[in-house]
DNA sequence: CTTTTTCACTTGTACGTACAAGTTTTTTGT
DNA sequence: ACAAAAAACTTGTACGTACAAGTGAAAAAG
């Protein structure tokens, strides 16, 4: 029932980070300060910080402290090369469909849970550019129950994940992906400005989150001829 | 200079696991046994085991112990769906080129380090089947300096990674990937038994290992029409 | 003023203790 | 013989202490 102390501290700090109380590159309170502040021992403070490190929120520098980190880099997610890394630089995102009440599409490849099938569904669709070249079409579905008021709100910094984190305190905890090379259909060809029949990389994604109610299902269609999709994984 | 105790214990246990002294599903000595055996405190023993857990070698079960785990599942590597998971089941691997002295191919997409360019190179090539359908062509390059005697030895259980682990005590520590959807060229079309011009998933891979001398570069060509490539990532 | 040393901070390692909580075996009671 | 209770194990959490090692600023020495 009761949560361990280190996890309480961990979650407290996490929510502060998510709320933007600490910016990327800034330092968290030191272990000893946390000890005083929460009346705990250093063992417990360290455990909380170690967990935040494992989750990718901070990096720990001996002699200096615990520094806030850009979390995206720690997740082994597939990213369009020169996309999220080169933030802002020549990158553009256009809504093809703003968030709306939608239907669980039969094109979603990764299996939905039964409970999800019986809940209303939100949907949005975007087209992503590098320079003026459209490189990725992105279709997203997720259950409406976890994100009340989502349709009215704008995206934080134009980022869906940042919105989840800062407005709903929901983090991505994992992902499952399936990758296929397919011929572009007419719709995708038109959107990505290629000939129909060009090979596209089709990525079917399921994101798990810290909210058990919320999984995000995405179908991505990528023109990889100029900008391949990349990812990195490190222990 | 001197390594911390917990890391010595960690490495000792790791090498035992790699040598096969503990099989998958078996339990490591308990924390208290390690304390006696190495004259350390439980804090240190726990730290060693926690590290092995982070590396994916074991899972820790309260009340039971630390159980050896199939490590591949913990790495966020791309796998052909129904391939490594369904071990042995309908899965076949054929050498198109047994390990040999080769040349750093210009087709390697991810950049080589300068030192690597100046070392001799080993090469091998395989074709992988699910059922009787060829689904993946796999070309691999790596520096010869790290793996002396590699050409003579056979693969452990037909697995390159298991060979690295058990014969050379080298582990995969990370990977960088680039993904492209491409038309099949004639060679790949013939090998994968598809028409030239069929879309193939082209994966360019660089594996980092625990040996700083060894990186493995791979170029994979996958027919994803029946068996998509998948991966999972969890925190 | 510049260089060196010291000091005050940070995180890292390691010791020891105690009890909670989950699992399995043994003992006890009926 | 069977069921419940106890004991004996496991890992998990949390306390407290001490010193090592890395960093940066302040103080001392030149």
């Amino acid at each position: 029932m009761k949560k361990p102390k280190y996890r309480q501290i961990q979650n407290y700090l996490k929510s502060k980070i998510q709320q933007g109380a600490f910016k990327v590159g800034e330092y968290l309170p030191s272990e000893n300060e946390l000890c005083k502040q929460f009346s705990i021992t250093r063992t417990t403070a360290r455990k909380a910080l170690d967990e935040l490190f494992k989750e990718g929120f901070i990096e720990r520098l001996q002699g200096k402290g615990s520094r806030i980190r850009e979390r995206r880099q720690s997740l082994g997610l597939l990213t369009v090369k020169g996309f999220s890394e080169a933030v802002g630089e020549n990158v553009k995102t256009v809504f093809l469909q703003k968030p709306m009440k939608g239907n669980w599409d039969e094109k979603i490849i990764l299996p939905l849970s039964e409970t999800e099938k019986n809940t209303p569904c939100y949907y949005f669709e975007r087209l992503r550019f590098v320079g003026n070249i459209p490189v990725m079409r992105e279709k997203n579905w997720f259950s409406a129950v976890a994100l009340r008021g989502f349709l009215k709100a704008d995206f934080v910094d134009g980022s869906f994940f940042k919105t989840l984190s800062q407005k709903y305190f929901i983090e991505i905890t994992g992902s499952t992906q399936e990758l296929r090379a397919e011929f572009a259909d007419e719709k995708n060809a038109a959107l990505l400005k290629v000939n129909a029949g060009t090979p596209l990389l089709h990525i079917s994604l399921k994101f798990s989150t810290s909210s058990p109610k919320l999984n995000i299902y995405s179908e991505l269609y990528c023109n990889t001829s100029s900008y391949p999709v990349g990812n990195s994984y490190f222990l």
Side-chain angles (χ1 to χ4, degrees), chain A residues 1 15 47 78 128 131 147 170 177 185:
Chain A
M1 196 81 250
S15 64
K47 180 80 175 168
L78 293 172
R128 309 195 146 217
L147 300 179
I170 292 175
Q177 300 159 350
D185 63 19

Side-chain angles (χ1 to χ4, degrees), chain A residues 151-220:
Chain A
L151 299 185
K152 287 152 203 146
D154 278 333
F155 280 19
V156 176
D157 292 349
S159 163
F160 181 47
F161 287 168
K162 269 196 189 171
T163 309
L164 288 183
S165 173
Q166 296 192 16
K167 287 206 171 160
Y168 296 93
F169 307 133
I170 292 175
E171 295 297 321
I172 304 298
T173 57
S175 67
T176 302
Q177 300 159 350
E178 285 187 17
L179 308 169
R180 290 174 174 80
E182 293 175 351
F183 287 121
D185 63 19
E186 286 179 17
K187 177 84 176 172
N188 285 325
L191 287 169
L192 294 169
K193 295 222 165 66
V194 295
N195 297 324
T198 302
L200 293 183
L201 175 57
H202 176 193
I203 306 179
S204 304
L205 262 164
K206 174 187 178 179
F207 290 110
S208 308
T209 73
S210 50
S211 162
K213 290 178 185 170
L214 182 65
N215 296 300
I216 297 138
Y217 298 86
S218 300
E219 299 292 333
L220 314 180

Side-chain angles (χ1 to χ4, degrees), chain A residues 91-168:
Chain A
V91 171
K92 204 168 47 176
T93 304
V94 172
F95 275 100
L96 299 176
Q97 173 60 60
K98 290 225 174 194
M100 60 175 273
K101 276 180 194 156
N103 295 306
W104 296 111
D105 202 301
E106 68 284 350
K107 282 183 186 165
I108 302 176
I109 286 184
L110 295 171
L112 298 164
S113 71
E114 279 305 315
T115 47
E116 275 172 329
K117 283 180 191 165
N118 299 322
T119 60
C121 164
Y122 283 168
Y123 174 75
F124 69 94
E125 182 176 342
R126 299 190 290 189
L127 191 59
R128 309 195 146 217
F129 295 77
V130 175
N132 287 315
I133 306 169
V135 293
M136 181 168 90
R137 179 192 182 194
E138 173 199 286
K139 306 175 78 167
N140 306 285
W141 296 264
F142 50 92
S143 169
V145 293
L147 300 179
R148 310 232 170 246
F150 184 79
L151 299 185
K152 287 152 203 146
D154 278 333
F155 280 19
V156 176
D157 292 349
S159 163
F160 181 47
F161 287 168
K162 269 196 189 171
T163 309
L164 288 183
S165 173
Q166 296 192 16
K167 287 206 171 160
Y168 296 93

